[in-house]
Amino acid sequence: MLRIAIPNKGMLAEASISMLTESGYVVRRDPKELIVQDPANDVEFFYLRPRDIATYVGSGALDIGITGRDLLVDSGSEAIEISDLEFGPSTFRFAGPIGKFKDVVDLTGLRIATSYVGLVRAFLIKHNVSAEIIALDGAVESAVRLGVADAVADVVSTGTTLKQQGLEAFGPTLLESSAVLIGADPSVPGVATFERRMRGVLVARRYVLMDYDLPARLIEAATKITPGLESPTISPLKDGEWVAVRVLVPRAEMNSVMDSLYELGAKAILVSAVHAARI
């Protein structure tokens, strides 16, 4: 039975459970449940703190897990990233008093507050910068104002929180993070199937299935608008001068594609959601 670590709380937990449900797995119904077995799919889920998942997987106690790339890097675990699950994006930057710092080298000999000690230490070593790292468990933006640190390293989205504390981001990005599937040994039986199901959800979210009728003489022009992944499925209609076309189209482009097809001469253009896929 494949043993899988799942985040037990926060945004990563909610999005992970959504993906598992769409992939056909049994998920917990009670937030207090720590272990859920899914015999039909030969898997067992362990709901753990997101920050601990890389450690459990890297030690071999669990086969694979879902966590943030930032938490994987910060942990120093031997687990590796198997695939990007494309949710929970975040950007890690240095930040300091407005106008005080320009680059990471300006932090030499100073104090940096962060909740991601391992990630920051590795970055500083890579850039040959020697600085003191102050470990805090969240809300690091206040560290400069309170005199605990000279700068901080944390997640930056809009920058609004930083500005409220009189800070601004500077220097290179430490890490672009998102939710990832991790494992110590991707060859473990069942891992490939689980990853394939996760990728199937991503494909289903990214594409829609489009059907339309078209004069046969316009097939070449239409396939330039809707080339599909390999090529469209084209079927003859009772009226020999017309064909039916079925093709996958990126969800983000579906309305502009429908407009282009209609202008070309297509009729009965229909869009259906994709609930599962194997590409």
Side-chain angles (χ1 to χ4, degrees):
M1 182 171 284
L2 191 67
R3 295 155 63 85
I4 306 170
I6 304 297
N8 66 350
K9 60 181 179 180
M11 181 182 65
L12 288 179
E14 295 173 3
S16 296
I17 288 174
S18 177
M19 285 195 77
L20 292 172
T21 301
E22 292 179 51
S23 298
Y25 291 105
V26 173
V27 298
R28 70 179 184 180
R29 299 182 181 278
D30 185 344
K32 295 181 181 180
E33 286 185 280
L34 300 180
I35 301 175
V36 174
Q37 291 189 338
D38 183 354
N41 289 301
D42 199 30
V43 299
E44 187 173 21
F45 296 109
F46 293 80
Y47 290 83
L48 305 168
R49 290 178 67 247
R51 186 171 284 277
D52 296 335
I53 287 176
T55 300
Y56 280 106
V57 174
S59 70
L62 298 176
D63 299 310
I64 53 175
I66 296 175
T67 189
R69 181 179 294 115
D70 53 338
L71 297 173
L72 171 62
V73 174
D74 190 59
S75 71
S77 166
E78 294 185 7
I80 62 172
E81 179 177 328
I82 297 175
S83 61
D84 189 336
L85 298 180
E86 300 181 15
F87 66 83
S90 61
T91 301
F92 283 77
R93 299 285 304 278
F94 289 109
I98 296 174
K100 184 174 182 179
F101 301 111
K102 295 299 182 183
D103 202 1
V104 62
V105 295
D106 298 335
L107 295 172
T108 300
L110 301 182
R111 301 165 301 167
I112 306 169
T114 185
S115 299
Y116 295 82
V117 174
L119 190 161
V120 174
R121 180 180 291 117
F123 187 89
L124 293 176
I125 291 174
K126 180 179 179 181
H127 289 79
N128 297 313
V129 174
S130 177
E132 181 183 357
I133 300 176
I134 308 297
L136 295 177
D137 190 12
V140 300
E141 297 90 350
S142 302
V144 175
R145 175 172 291 185
L146 295 175
V148 174
D150 302 294
V152 302
D154 201 15
V155 176
V156 176
S157 51
T158 62
T160 301
T161 303
L162 292 177
K163 290 179 181 178
Q164 291 173 347
Q165 296 295 329
L167 306 176
E168 66 177 354
F170 67 90
T173 297
L174 281 81
L175 182 71
E176 294 286 352
S177 182
S178 62
V180 292
L181 178 64
I182 66 172
D185 182 3
S187 66
V188 169
V191 172
T193 297
F194 184 84
E195 181 189 9
R196 194 159 49 243
R197 287 198 183 190
M198 294 293 103
R199 289 189 177 279
V201 171
L202 297 178
V203 170
R205 292 176 175 178
R206 197 179 299 137
Y207 291 92
V208 294
L209 188 63
M210 188 172 291
D211 291 277
Y212 58 91
D213 294 343
L214 183 82
R217 60 184 173 80
L218 298 176
I219 289 177
E220 289 302 319
T223 52
K224 291 181 180 179
I225 299 172
T226 57
L229 297 185
E230 280 82 27
S231 64
T233 298
I234 300 174
S235 306
L237 295 178
K238 183 176 181 181
D239 184 336
E241 295 184 356
W242 284 72
V243 294
V245 181
R246 167 166 285 190
V247 64
L248 284 174
V249 172
R251 182 181 294 272
E253 302 172 12
M254 66 179 180
N255 283 296
S256 61
V257 168
M258 292 174 74
D259 292 337
S260 297
L261 288 173
Y262 186 83
E263 292 170 3
L264 180 65
K267 302 295 183 182
I269 307 171
L270 304 175
V271 172
S272 304
V274 178
H275 296 289
R278 299 291 184 274
I279 302 299

